[in-house]
Amino acid sequence: MILRSSPDRRRARQLAAGPQGALRVYLAQPFPPSGTDHTSLRLLAVDLETTGLDPDHDHIVSIGFVPVDGTSIVLAGAGQVVVRSAGGVGHSATVHGLTDDRVAAGLDLPAALDVLLGALSGRVLLAHHAAIEQGFLDVACRRVHGQHLPSVAVDTMALEHRLLTTGWTQEPAAGSLRLAAARARHGLPRYRAHDALTDALACAELYLAQVAEIGRGRPVTLRQLTR
């Protein structure tokens, strides 16, 4: 059996390699302990709009983020950046609505990544289907800094799957794990999809509804949220 190092061990090892700038600041902040309960957990809801689903070939065109402190969404810390893409947006414009002109006027990838790393430092990444965000951000960090990006993530899609498959329940119905469908089940309003900031806020609100259902009035630890 291969034992994989924890995100904190990877973080410390990469910090020792002497990175600079925002990556160094990010790596210098330890991740919240796994025993931290949700009432004091600090997260950052993140959504990426991209030109496709393959992080090795496609590009990030927009990043939206919203902090969550315990059970509060901190709108004052929310932000969105458009990321310059030399190859344009192609057919993906029909999904996220960002045109080549707008993307050409955005921040370059190093500057956009710096903004996100600053907001994510000391926090847990929160996303709907978090593997996509983690994959694109890891590739972006390798392109800019030559290093992987260690992270701890809470995935609202995985939490919804857990809530829908308790006991002997079969797999969830097709489409029921989508962000809009999950929000509807929790009585949350419908938002316009594929805007990075709006989707990040939608994810943050869904998380709070999910953790309330999971905990039923009791604290839920980060370990429970990421198991």
Side-chain angles (χ1 to χ4, degrees), residues 24 58 70 147 151 183 187 219 225:
R24 182 173 186 82
D58 296 309
Q147 292 195 38
S151 62
R183 284 177 57 84
L225 292 170

Side-chain angles (χ1 to χ4, degrees), residues 86-112:
V89 296
H91 295 299
S92 68
T94 61
V95 177
H96 49 64
L98 294 169
T99 63
D100 285 342
D101 287 346
R102 188 175 175 195
V103 169
L107 297 179
D108 62 17
L109 182 60

Side-chain angles (χ1 to χ4, degrees), residues 16 22 45 56 61 93 108 110 116-117 119 127 142 148 157 159 163 165 169 176 182-183 226:
D56 289 321
V61 294
D108 62 17
L116 181 65
L117 290 177
R142 284 191 277 123
H148 290 281
M157 180 180 282
L159 293 181
L163 288 168
T165 55
T169 305
S176 63
R183 284 177 57 84
T226 56

Side-chain angles (χ1 to χ4, degrees), residues 12-192:
R13 186 168 60 247
Q14 289 180 228
L15 182 62
Q20 299 300 311
L23 180 60
R24 182 173 186 82
V25 174
Y26 172 80
L27 293 172
Q29 293 292 321
F31 298 122
S34 61
T36 305
D37 73 60
H38 77 278
T39 61
S40 57
L41 188 61
R42 298 172 72 242
L43 309 97
L44 189 75
V46 176
D47 182 78
L48 305 179
E49 295 301 319
T50 64
T51 58
L53 296 177
D54 185 346
D56 289 321
H57 297 95
D58 296 309
H59 304 281
I60 300 169
V61 294
S62 182
I63 303 171
F65 56 86
V66 179
V68 180
D69 288 351
T71 57
S72 298
I73 294 173
V74 186
L75 291 179
Q80 183 173 14
V81 293
V82 174
V83 185
R84 190 182 308 152
S85 175
V89 296
H91 295 299
S92 68
T94 61
V95 177
H96 49 64
L98 294 169
T99 63
D100 285 342
D101 287 346
R102 188 175 175 195
V103 169
L107 297 179
D108 62 17
L109 182 60
L113 188 60
D114 280 357
V115 172
L116 181 65
L117 290 177
L120 188 57
S121 293
R123 294 180 178 272
V124 170
L125 176 70
L126 174 66
H128 198 74
H129 199 353
I132 292 179
E133 273 69 21
Q134 286 181 297
F136 272 93
L137 292 175
D138 185 68
V139 169
C141 193
R142 284 191 277 123
R143 287 173 178 165
V144 173
H145 296 287
Q147 292 195 38
H148 290 281
L149 183 68
S151 62
V152 174
V154 171
D155 186 345
T156 51
M157 180 180 282
L159 293 181
E160 192 66 13
H161 186 280
R162 186 190 310 179
L163 288 168
L164 291 175
T165 55
T166 54
W168 296 99
T169 305
Q170 298 298 314
E171 281 298 298
S176 63
L177 297 180
R178 293 181 181 274
L179 180 58
R183 284 177 57 84
R185 190 181 77 81
H186 290 276
L188 297 169
R190 186 177 183 86
Y191 291 158
R192 181 171 66 89

